[in-house]
Amino acid sequence: MNNEFEPKVVAFVCNWCTYAGADLTGTSRIKYASNVKIVRFPCTGRIDFMLLLKAFANGADGIIVSGCHPNDCHYTSGNFHARRRWILFRSLLDFMGIDINRIQFSWVSAAEGAKWADIVNKTVTNIRELGPYMEYRRAANFLEANEEELTKELARNKEEEVKHG
Amino acid sequence: MSKIGVFVCHCGENISATVDCKKVAEEAAKLTGVEVSLDYKYMCSDPGQTIIKEAIKEKGLTGVVVAACSPRMHEPTFRKACAEAGLNPFMCEMTNLREHCSWVHEKNDQTTEKAIDLVRMLVEKTKLNKPLNEIKVPVSKKALVIGGGIAGIQASLDIANAGHQVILVEKEASIGGHMSQLSETFPTLDCSQCILTPRMVEVAQHPNITLYNYAELESLDGFIGNFKATIRLKAKSVDPKACTGCGACYNKCPKKKIPSEFNEGLGMRTAIYTPFPQAVPNKPVIDKENCNYYKNGKCKICEKVCPTGAIEFDKPDEFVTENVGAIVLATGFNVLKPDFFPEYGYGQFKDVITGLQFERLASASGPTLGEIRRPSDGKVPQKVVFIACAGSRDPAKGIPYCSKICCMYTAKHAMLYQHKVHGGESTVFYMDIRAGGKNYEEFVRRAIEEDGANYVRGRVARIYEKDGKLIVKGVDTLLGAKPVEIEADMVVLASAGVANCGAEELAQKMHVSYDPYKFFAEAHPKLKPVETNTAGIYLCGACQAPKDIPDTVATASGAAAKVIGLFSKDELTREPLVAVVNRIASHDVSTCVGCFMCQTACPYQAIEREEVKNRAGEVIKTVARVNPGLCQGCGTCVSFCRSKSIDIQGFSNEQMYAEVLAVLNTP
Amino acid sequence: MEKQGYISEIKEHTGINVNRCYQCGKCSAGCAVTDEMDYPPSMVMRMLQTNDDENYKSVLQSESIWLCITCQNCVTRCPMQIDIPRLMDYMREQSLQKKMVSKKAKNIVSFHKSFLDPIRFTGRSYEIGLVAGYKMRTFNLLQDLNVAPSMFMKGKLPILPERIEGRKQIKEIFDKTKKEDK
Amino acid sequence: MAELNSKVKELFEKDLIDIFIGYEEGTRNPRPYFAYSAQDADNLVFNDKCQGNLAVYLTRKDLVGGKRVGISASYFALKSISQLFDENQLKEDLLIVLGMKEDGSILEFKGLDEIRTYLSEAKAPSKQKDDELLKELSEMSQAERWQFWSDELSKCFKCYACRAACPMCYCTKCIIEVNRPQWIQPWISTQGNMEWQINRVMHMAGRCSDCGSCGAACPIGIPIHLLTHMMTKTVAANFGESNEQGNVLSTFKPDDKENFIL
Amino acid sequence: MKIGFYPGCSLKGTSSEYAQSTLALAKAFDIDLVEITDWNCCGATAAHNLNHELATALPARVLALAEKDGLKEIVVPCAACYNRLSVTQHELNENQDLKNRVEEILEMPLSGNLEILNVMQFIDRYIAGKIEGKVVKPFNHKVVCYYGCLLVRPHDVLKFDRLEDPQSMDILMKKIGADSMDWGYKTECCGAGFSVSRTDIVGKLSGKIVKDAYDRGAQAIIVACPMCQSNLDMRRPHINSYLKTKIDIPAMYITQAIGLAVGVSREDLGLKKLFVAPTFA
């Protein structure tokens, strides 16, 4: 075992394009980093933004979201809906200081086996550089960590109350 | 408590060469709820499937996870095996250890670790799977064919001959379409009418075909197997039951100078008319736009001369509603009027005509009875120029695509001209000759080699008139773009084939997708060439893209085969991977608040409004309901629903959530 | 990947992708001066499409690029709306910069330069200056001797050049946009 | 002011409404008031200090269910009302909406179309302070923004006053109450609080009137209205101001612009 | 409202009769045309043949000056200038970078909303409506209207009339009683700027134009471009030698023709300045 940080990357992909594209990567025997695990959805339109947050909360360091190119959606418009959602979601996360560089969006068609390998490798390299995503995970027990500080603050308040009494 | 069976496949060495399958099976066995976990060389083989089936029976498994190749490959195989062993097939899931793991990673511990993660994901998902039953939809075995050209005729006859009822809707007064206008057909030069007319008659006489001529689709509801089509029967002003087709009316009609659509404006027709002598049905209609009575309230000569009293003025359009199980769209194409090319002077110079007009000139039933005579003065043109790609391959003024049929019909025109006008000179300006097809190239060569059509490679820049001649200015690009100037008597523009007028509106009515040129879009350009994205609606002929007659007929029979296939069963079964709105026990506990964002988002119009009433029968709220016949299971609605009231079977919120947590190995 | 070479340079400077041309020849067919040209416009397009430096050189050294009168017949009829006149402008600029101007086109180039000279100094064009400058450049001293007197007679040639107030500004415009030397 | 009182009186006297949702004088600012009779109408006030978005009461079944309602609506309340119509939550024949002109006189809207026309012409009240804060935040580094919001949201104790104050939060079962799966941690933690706010704001996208009631309602003063304000601006910047079909998220344009998808 | 007037260099020199007749016609209809203060040459074909940036900056100065004069619309009788000014305004409006660069060179701002009218547009807007009542001497001659290149192309930018078979001149000519005929050379090139440098080409191209007009029995070629006019008129010796015959159909400006019809004097229209004199006037 080496000590290098191995990022955990979850890929949310649609069944018709990117999943099939990743199948093609396999049949073409193109190698890519094994850090990525694919969760299959019927369509990018199905991918709930909460699942992305859940992945971060539960230890994912990076996320790939990928589906059919515009106009290629098996369901005609799921990817268009998804695109709108991601435009807003990204700006909200960015505004809240959540690291959007850890989410890679892409369109990978069933014919783009090589592109899929490329995206995975790029994302893994990128996340490896960014390091583990601790901030978001730590926020889960933020209060616990600050309990001490809170106690102090409460005490201080009390003192002041007494002073002003 | 779940009892999951995990079956790890070696796929020969495809998986086991890089993944320690045994270890995967061992680790999977440790997962909560996993009852049995084993590995085998070929899970998809008969013995492999037997292992699964026996495990289901012996251990009473509630779910199966097969860790093998892509589910896109073998999911149906294993689901079928489970069903055979008495387990609901939708309790079986696959995880992809081959394409997504063994084939793309090196042999090492991490690869095996990933394989274990992948199995864990699907085990956690499968625990939350619910038994699902295939959706059964009844099929009404009656087809609607829209468009009565050769495509619609062929499709109707094929379906009708298989014993099913067909409703054929044609917007014009007669069926026959563009093919009935053609003179001869390439590459055999047999007469178009001669091969088409018997088919038209067959349609009229077929006991299984109901023909609505002069009619259009008004609206369409429903879904595959259960469409409800409302058809507008435009008022013909002639009662077809009473009319015997004697022709007294149009012989006496005083309005005789209306440009005939059938003759592409080269001949005239009356206000009460049949489009052409061989029309089916051969009964006239009144063109209200041009009829004296409809325009100024006086005339009614036809009414006076009609021996059977069939004329009925001022009747409104009627509507009929038909329940059909499948629809074939065969609305054909249109020829782009090349008046957007001011440099060619179409519309300005009478002797610049379109290919379709040339067909009428060459047709024995045409305005010149098959003699080539130019429209301006009726003289036989001694020099004719044919210009290919007049509109096609011209993103600037026309259309960017190749209209496919023009090379062939231009060669045919040159040939027909040479046959009919001895000593005449024909010049064809072309850029490329696209003659891919059985006997097509030979046909073009014949026009050049035997009939002496002069082919010049280059596009004409301009045509102007001088002293009764049309001066055509082009170049021969094969001679270094050397100018070529021809004083022609007539110019024929191979105008482009475009989508029929009203195609977009019709597509929207039917929720069929269409391309930027308003041609209807296939579900898959190669593998589903006659299907649309809307289940139960099929395509054929030139409404998809310009097509020649052989291709049109082939797709028409293809579409018919799809319809006949659909009608071969009384019920339609569909995968139950569709959305559902939560409704535990009674309606009013639905958490749906009826905002209908899902309805806006659904690409299939699968979301309906359902009124929830109390005992007094008052509507207390309106909630969403998914029509499982229409839902295709994309799940877009699911991620829209704020209150999570809508969910999708097989990819439910709980399942996906569990899968994500399992990937990250979070308990 | 886009190929390196002059095709991409042309695209960068003019926005024209010469590979869009599919050689229908309509430009040449409508061109007013095709039969004067050593390479008709469609041939120029074809030569540029080869991305072959020899062919590029032939274009830059051709008379064709100087014979183009910018009548715009080609681009208005081109099915791909390729702006050939703009391309010709660019070829002329390149030809001048690379000092490859065809000897046969000397008259035309001299005329253009002579036309601009008076503008540079007075702000307006000045036919006598133009013609004089042109003659100096071409040594065509006898040309138009037959027309000029009657032009004077008809009051068509003012003897003194018009000068505008903003001459300094005009000179600056020339200086700031200057690309090549005379 | 008397104009409103007499107008509402008239509505009651002509028996056109059962309840009027308006404001009465409060200790500092006017507060919501429900008038049930012509006499009650005397207590009503309506001026530019009336800030709370009264549209929130229009979806409270216990208050208005089946009743004919009159309401005095601020600019933001009108926006919410218009959106609620889009979402099938209101019935035109059960609602009489009164607005205020710039000169303070009362405006009675005859139906939804008039409200829409008014909104398309009226200028949105300035949000200068919020805009400044927004600018300040967006100029911070990502780490600083994270610090800011994790500090702020660490204080939240999930009272859901933000939800209660919002006219758009009318679900009978909020996602926070959905427990299969448990989308949002129900206990108090910065992460769970964030998840709640992210959900809330994503659910507001394209629907929010930008009234800021959520922020005003927060007992701890977390500036959560900046999130919705930012979302409103993002939606407008990316997809345009108006959308005839309701929610921007349930519609799309094939040429929506993005620059982050590979 | 003030209507600006940009004569351009040709109208100050070789084609002074065009300016003269335009102004005379405007005067006859009580329209005041104000010359743009201190205008400069638009650079014509020469500039854009040699240097694109120069070819933009020169006309841009004219536009800026017109805006500075507070003009909303300007009349540009010369087709070449009309073309250059319109194309420049269009390019600057489309390309912000170029606009910035040009504004920097000129040190003058540009709004880009100037309305640039050619002579037909001007007549159409301010004169055509009153023309019929004012015709004192119908122009009852067979004519062909010659539009040339620069009035109609590039169509996307100029958006003037129909591209291949324009009608605006014909319509005006018919209004003053002329028999305006269809012919083959409405928009073919006359040789344009090659007048001096390649007179042989001009002889040939203009020759074809004159020949077609002659063949159809035209008594005059009506033009609206000083370059076309001078090629068809002044280069008649070259034309005749190319055609190996002598054709004496005059090439006259549309402003002259209309002027004659509404009774403006021959002197005011500068008819004397035509090399090939119209026999009927």
Side-chain angles (χ1 to χ4, degrees), chain B residues 343-344 393-397 431 457-462 474-475 480, chain C residues 22-26 28-30 34 40 42 76-81:
Chain B
E343 59 264 49
Y344 292 167
R393 304 171 72 198
D394 189 337
K397 296 201 186 98
M431 268 85 63
R457 196 203 170 281
R459 207 178 222 149
V460 169
R462 201 162 82 88
V475 286
Chain C
Y22 65 83
Q23 287 291 308
C24 73
K26 203 174 180 182
S28 297
T34 306
S42 59
T76 49
R77 290 174 185 159
C78 174
M80 306 306 286
Q81 282 177 303

Side-chain angles (χ1 to χ4, degrees), chain E residues 13-28:
Chain E
T14 37
S15 308
S16 52
E17 70 272 30
Y18 193 17
Q20 223 177 323
S21 56
T22 305
L23 293 168
L25 187 63
K27 206 176 150 209

Side-chain angles (χ1 to χ4, degrees), chain A residues 78-92:
Chain A
N79 55 352
F80 288 132
H81 286 296
R83 181 170 63 187
R84 278 216 160 175
R85 190 179 312 142
W86 302 137
I87 290 171
L88 299 181
F89 186 57
R90 258 175 60 98
S91 57
L92 177 60

Side-chain angles (χ1 to χ4, degrees), chain B residues 35-104:
Chain B
E35 184 75 11
V36 54
S37 175
L38 42 86
D39 59 307
Y40 183 71
K41 204 160 182 68
Y42 284 111
M43 269 308 161
C44 61
S45 68
D46 267 354
Q49 292 190 39
T50 310
I51 293 175
I52 299 174
K53 287 181 196 170
E54 277 170 7
I56 293 171
K57 287 179 199 154
E58 280 169 23
K59 311 271 181 184
L61 297 181
T62 60
V64 164
V65 173
V66 185
C69 52
S70 174
R72 295 172 58 83
M73 176 97 129
H74 269 315
E75 200 175 67
T77 317
F78 291 113
R79 285 195 167 162
K80 191 161 158 266
C82 289
E84 282 165 9
L87 181 69
N88 183 291
F90 295 95
M91 299 307 289
C92 168
E93 292 279 358
M94 283 189 75
T95 186
N96 191 343
L97 295 195
R98 195 177 71 178
E99 284 87 343
H100 288 190
C101 192
S102 70
W103 276 352
V104 289

